[in-house]
Amino acid sequence: MRNRLKVLRAERNWSQADLADRLEVSRQSVNAIETGKYDPSLPLAFKIARVFALPIEQIFSDEVEAAS
Amino acid sequence: MSTQTDVPRGNNAVMITRVFIVIALLGAALFLGAYGTHLARWSDAVAIVVALMCAASALRLAAESFYPDALGARIGVEGPSTAREVRQVRLQAMLLVALAIALVWPVTATWLHWPAPAWAYVVTAAFILVRITYTWVVFARADEFSRQRTRQMGWWIFFAGQTALLAYASAERLGLAPTLTAWDILVLMQFLSIMMAAFLGKARTAA
């Protein structure tokens, strides 16, 4: 799964620590999601969408969908 | 202080730790060479080696915890590590030291003909309490990513351990292999856990 977390975070001038605090997770989790090493659970994905005030599909996209 | 000056300092700490590790392993080799025949079982020698591996890992973690930039890079985050991350790493280092003591103590107590085995067992009981508390606290505070990594590690150790146990236990039951004690199995399991942790850690970094 691809995501735009790093771009969205940069647009808001947030550090990984800022986003981690908002999501109540560790900075390692934010980094792992940004680098594609970890796909978040549905509850965390919805929380990310709420924090960025965006629909979930504007943050995450399927690899197959993104390739086509 | 700039990042450019901190990273080499962190690297120096790691290099110094590596030198200590080599010295410790050479010391272990000399010790086992000189006194190895006095040990009750082959697994006692393995226990000493595993304990030294734990101590070496603890030393490395402790050294890195003094260099926030180096530690931040190792745990895979942007910028230097925070006070909370430093605390977590130091706690992990302390648990590794406790594990090293727990592995070496029964060997040492037996070797020294400790007069009261029940009292010697108090050290093991204390370590079990520390381990239960540490695991409970860490797991309770962990987020879903940390828990997933713990589960993944547990799965691999369980799979490898069960497969090896099935292979050996069947051979032992059929009289094809010598009998192992619970101590032998524990020591081998700890060795397996450490190797798995190191392997998965490298694999994650490379991914």
Side-chain angles (χ1 to χ4, degrees), chain A residues 6 9 15-17 24-29 31-32 34 37-41 43-44, chain B residues 72 75-82 85 88 143-146 148-149 204-207:
Chain A
K6 196 168 185 172
R9 184 167 63 77
S15 66
Q16 281 186 342
E24 296 173 307
V25 296
S26 65
R27 294 198 303 163
Q28 290 101 310
S29 301
N31 191 68
E34 282 184 357
K37 289 178 183 170
Y38 175 65
D39 290 333
S41 66
L44 182 55
Chain B
I75 62 176
V77 292
E78 273 181 8
S81 55
T82 60
E85 288 156 358
Q88 283 174 344
D143 60 13
E144 62 173 53
F145 171 63
S146 305
Q148 191 244 21
R149 284 205 305 188
R204 280 176 189 142
T205 310

Side-chain angles (χ1 to χ4, degrees), chain B residues 4-190:
Chain B
Q4 282 178 327
T5 56
D6 275 354
V7 171
R9 284 182 67 203
N11 287 345
N12 284 343
V14 171
M15 196 188 292
I16 291 165
T17 312
R18 280 183 183 153
V19 171
F20 273 112
I21 291 167
V22 171
I23 292 169
L25 288 175
L26 282 174
L30 285 173
F31 175 83
L32 291 173
Y35 299 104
T37 51
H38 296 286
L39 295 172
R41 297 185 64 80
W42 58 267
S43 52
D44 289 350
V46 180
I48 291 170
V49 171
V50 173
L52 276 169
M53 288 164 79
C54 292
S57 301
L59 188 64
R60 183 182 173 168
L61 288 174
E64 277 182 344
S65 73
F66 288 100
Y67 298 95
D69 287 315
L71 182 59
R74 198 182 66 80
I75 62 176
V77 292
E78 273 181 8
S81 55
T82 60
R84 187 182 172 183
E85 288 156 358
V86 168
R87 270 200 308 276
Q88 283 174 344
V89 165
R90 286 181 184 164
L91 202 62
Q92 198 181 346
M94 282 192 277
L95 185 80
L96 281 167
V97 170
L99 175 60
I101 293 168
L103 281 173
V104 163
W105 175 242
V107 178
T108 314
T110 311
W111 194 42
L112 295 173
H113 303 292
W114 194 265
W119 280 107
Y121 192 75
V122 169
V123 175
T124 303
F127 172 71
I128 290 168
L129 274 177
V130 167
R131 187 176 173 141
I132 289 170
T133 310
Y134 173 87
T135 307
W136 185 76
V137 169
V138 167
F139 206 77
R141 286 182 187 168
D143 60 13
E144 62 173 53
F145 171 63
S146 305
R147 287 179 184 176
Q148 191 244 21
R149 284 205 305 188
T150 307
R151 275 195 294 266
Q152 189 189 38
M153 180 92 71
W155 187 89
W156 278 109
I157 291 168
F158 181 78
F159 170 73
Q162 280 275 316
T163 307
L165 190 62
L166 173 68
Y168 196 90
S170 301
E172 185 191 291
R173 189 72 187 86
L174 292 166
L176 299 171
T179 305
L180 289 183
T181 66
W183 176 251
D184 299 337
I185 294 169
L186 169 81
V187 168
L188 290 174
M189 282 298 291
Q190 290 299 335

Side-chain angles (χ1 to χ4, degrees), chain A residues 11-28:
Chain A
E11 283 172 3
R12 285 154 181 81
N13 208 19
W14 291 347
S15 66
Q16 281 186 342
D18 294 332
L19 182 57
D21 283 346
R22 285 175 163 86
L23 296 172
E24 296 173 307
V25 296
S26 65
R27 294 198 303 163
Q28 290 101 310

Side-chain angles (χ1 to χ4, degrees), chain A:
Chain A
M1 198 162 62
R2 290 182 180 181
N3 69 74
R4 296 174 55 231
L5 221 60
K6 196 168 185 172
V7 175
L8 295 169
R9 184 167 63 77
E11 283 172 3
R12 285 154 181 81
N13 208 19
W14 291 347
S15 66
Q16 281 186 342
D18 294 332
L19 182 57
D21 283 346
R22 285 175 163 86
L23 296 172
E24 296 173 307
V25 296
S26 65
R27 294 198 303 163
Q28 290 101 310
S29 301
V30 171
N31 191 68
I33 296 169
E34 282 184 357
T35 52
K37 289 178 183 170
Y38 175 65
D39 290 333
S41 66
L42 266 180
L44 182 55
F46 275 107
K47 198 168 188 177
I48 292 169
R50 274 200 305 276
V51 164
F52 286 114
L54 287 169
I56 209 161
E57 60 272 22
Q58 282 190 24
I59 302 172
F60 297 97
S61 60
D62 187 32
E63 295 274 8
V64 180
E65 191 183 291
S68 62

